[in-house]
Amino acid sequence: MGDPEWTGSRSYAGDIMASSRNISSNNMAAAAAASTRTLPQYGMDTAVGSERGDESPHKAGSENTACNTGAIGGEKSQHPVHETVEDLETTKSRRCWTHVTWALTWWLPSPFLKWCGGMRRPDVRMAWREKVAICVIIFLIWCVLLFVIIGLGLILCPKEYVWTMDDVASHNSPDDAYIAMRGRVYDISEYLNQKHGTSSYVASKDLMLMYIGQDVNASFPLSVRTACPALVTQKTDPKYSMYLTPADVTALQTFPFTHKVGTLPSSKEMSSQSFYAKYVLPTLNHFKKGDLVWDYDWVNSMHREQGKYWRVINKEVFNLEDYFATIDYPGNTDDSKWRFLNSHIENIFDDKGADGTDITDKWAQIPWSAIERMANYNCMKNLFYVGKVDDRHSVRCLFTNYMLLAFACVLMAIVLVKFLAALQFGTKNRPTPSNKFVICQVPCYTEDEASLLKTIDSLAGLSYDDKHKLIFIVCDGNIVGSGNDRSTPRIVLDILGVDPEYDPPGRDYLAIAEGSRRHNIAKVYSGLYEYEGHVVPFMVAVKVGTPDEANRSGNRGKRDSQILLMS
């Protein structure tokens, strides 16, 4: 290990750190003494370097820290030492981060951390709070992400219990029987097993099965006066005999029975004019599943392409086919009683295809009173309402899906670009290794001996030429890691076979830190390391810190270690 060539390299590296940015020893001392106060610290692990004429090295004790600027490792000092604590001006960014930290950790009182957490020093408690604040921020980011993936979709498009006619038609078995009536869907699977009809006209289960999977509006007709009491008076229809003429006559032939008031005299319920409202709806409401929905494009095609009287008002679908079929029926053309809806409604629906299918705006522009508007709306809702517009495939409901798809496309694009960049096209042989020098940097802090040995051996065994390869190890402070019996620098030097009695001089350098901590001292070791036939030069820079440091002496972080190599 005493090779003259590498001894010179050691001195050269130390000179580089000593002369970095033309900082002299006097300037370093002045920087370290600025704006400081000295506080007595008892029981701290310190060992002052022999190079500076201080106390002899001591071995690190239970504090897992060996504050040492003269030797690697030492005992716990029994004498009180003084730690230099510096008053630094707090930057604006630091103040902001402090406010954020307290805002996120206010629920952890300082007395609790002091007595239960064993954190006596304010700076230790603040460092712990900052770590908790970072964890809280990460947790909040995950909550936001989950909200975007799950919650945002439920807010923009709440879950709806709706069915299309295709859905209803698919439920057509005795154990799974659905029907649709006046814009609502009902599951009558259990209802089929009950007794129906009268003693003279029994509705068997086989007859009931003819209704399942279909829209049964035609089997439950409503008289106009019953559905529109505010538009059709007793004078106009004293016997409730006004029924609309079905536009689709085949619908009447589909069902074996029509539940029309008065058609079954032996039934008390069907003899009442309130049969639908008093008996039908209350019974079916026990089996209600949800609303019937229609695709807007399909409704629009019924209007535009087939000339049907299907329209949309406030996302509600109305079908006035029966209304206009009744008006045009022979014998009704000159009878005004059949034109019970407002004339503006007739004009809007009978637009000859000139206007749009959604007539919400035109409906709002009709000049009528609130009472007349409500009377016409209730009449249409009872007679002509067939369901709602299905907006489950709208942009509003699919927004989160589109967003997740966009994120997935971006990730896939990144992976694809990296994959293409890694491809090697052509049949050229791999180039021969160049004669360039390679430096393998290893920053270490509190690693154990097994990890350090594995890392050093793997670097020593690399296929690069040993003469052009350098293992550069930076020990970030004279620290004893948890579970270790020696300080990290001592472990590294023992692995590399450095003589424990060898103690190089400390070299001053400018570290990445604030205030007096910018001044740091490092010791440089060098030599050759043998591993499986490889003889590789190494250089170890141990950051030992200044004599004033009593806690984590020399530790400045990995960024400082990287800059140390580049300087």
Side-chain angles (χ1 to χ4, degrees), residues 6 13 45 75 124 218 222 237 271 300 348 369-370 394 420 488 504 561:
W6 287 100
D45 297 336
E75 295 182 357
V124 174
L222 286 177
D237 184 19
S271 299
N300 188 55
I348 293 174
S369 63
S394 63
L420 295 177
T488 302
S561 300

Side-chain angles (χ1 to χ4, degrees), residues 87-393:
D87 288 330
L88 297 176
E89 181 182 356
T90 305
T91 62
K92 182 177 180 180
S93 59
R94 176 62 184 175
R95 288 196 300 269
C96 293
W97 171 242
T98 301
H99 293 328
V100 172
T101 300
W102 277 102
L104 296 176
T105 61
W106 59 269
W107 45 275
L108 292 169
S110 295
F112 174 80
L113 299 179
K114 181 178 180 181
W115 299 110
C116 298
M119 306 176 194
R120 306 292 181 180
R121 292 168 43 185
D123 59 331
V124 174
R125 293 196 296 271
M126 189 61 190
W128 189 85
R129 286 183 181 276
E130 291 178 3
K131 294 177 182 179
V132 173
I134 293 175
C135 294
V136 172
I137 291 174
I138 295 174
F139 174 76
L140 293 177
I141 291 175
W142 274 107
C143 289
V144 171
L145 183 60
L146 290 176
F147 170 76
V148 171
I149 296 176
I150 302 175
L152 184 60
L154 296 177
I155 292 177
L156 295 178
C157 185
K159 184 176 179 59
E160 297 180 291
Y161 295 94
V162 295
W163 281 262
T164 65
M165 277 306 303
D166 291 336
D167 297 331
V168 175
S170 64
H171 296 270
N172 57 359
S173 64
D175 297 329
D176 185 21
Y178 280 24
I179 62 170
M181 184 170 69
R182 288 185 170 81
R184 294 172 179 82
V185 178
Y186 304 92
D187 180 3
I188 61 172
S189 304
E190 301 295 334
Y191 186 66
L192 292 175
N193 300 320
Q194 306 303 316
K195 181 180 178 181
H196 305 285
T198 62
S199 58
S200 60
Y201 193 94
V202 179
S204 65
K205 186 174 182 179
D206 292 336
L207 290 177
M208 296 286 291
L209 289 175
M210 298 179 66
Y211 291 87
I212 64 176
Q214 301 185 65
D215 188 327
V216 298
N217 285 348
S219 182
F220 291 86
L222 286 177
S223 69
V224 177
R225 181 181 170 186
T226 301
C228 310
L231 301 181
V232 178
T233 63
Q234 181 180 3
K235 180 180 179 180
T236 305
D237 184 19
K239 297 182 179 181
Y240 293 89
S241 59
M242 289 179 58
Y243 284 87
L244 295 176
T245 302
D248 183 10
V249 294
T250 59
L252 295 176
Q253 303 172 359
T254 305
F255 306 111
F257 184 76
T258 301
H259 299 77
K260 193 174 183 180
V261 175
T263 56
L264 193 61
S266 59
S267 172
K268 176 182 177 181
E269 291 83 358
M270 290 192 62
S271 299
S272 172
Q273 295 297 334
S274 302
F275 168 68
Y276 180 78
K278 189 175 181 180
Y279 298 103
V280 176
L281 281 183
T283 301
L284 290 180
N285 281 338
H286 294 294
F287 308 100
K288 182 180 177 180
K289 298 297 294 183
D291 294 313
L292 185 66
V293 292
W294 304 85
D295 183 71
Y296 182 82
D297 293 335
W298 186 88
V299 177
N300 188 55
S301 67
M302 294 294 290
H303 169 217
R304 294 288 189 180
E305 299 175 9
Q306 301 187 35
K308 303 293 184 178
Y309 297 100
W310 288 67
R311 299 293 186 275
V312 176
I313 302 175
N314 293 322
K315 295 186 178 182
E316 294 181 334
V317 182
F318 295 91
N319 176 18
L320 267 67
E321 284 291 304
D322 291 351
Y323 179 79
F324 286 96
T326 302
I327 293 176
D328 297 335
Y329 189 77
N332 294 341
T333 55
D334 296 331
D335 195 345
S336 61
K337 70 177 182 179
W338 295 107
R339 295 183 177 272
F340 49 86
L341 291 179
N342 187 284
S343 60
H344 292 90
I345 298 177
E346 294 184 14
N347 295 333
I348 293 174
F349 273 80
D350 192 14
D351 60 356
K352 311 301 181 184
D355 297 324
T357 303
D358 192 337
I359 60 173
T360 302
D361 293 338
K362 290 185 175 295
W363 173 270
Q365 296 172 4
I366 296 178
W368 52 13
S369 63
I371 296 177
E372 186 179 5
R373 175 181 177 275
M374 186 57 63
N376 282 267
Y377 175 76
N378 290 336
C379 178
M380 293 176 59
K381 195 69 179 287
N382 292 330
L383 282 178
F384 310 117
Y385 175 74
V386 292
K388 297 180 178 180
V389 174
D390 188 0
D391 57 358
R392 291 175 295 177
H393 301 290

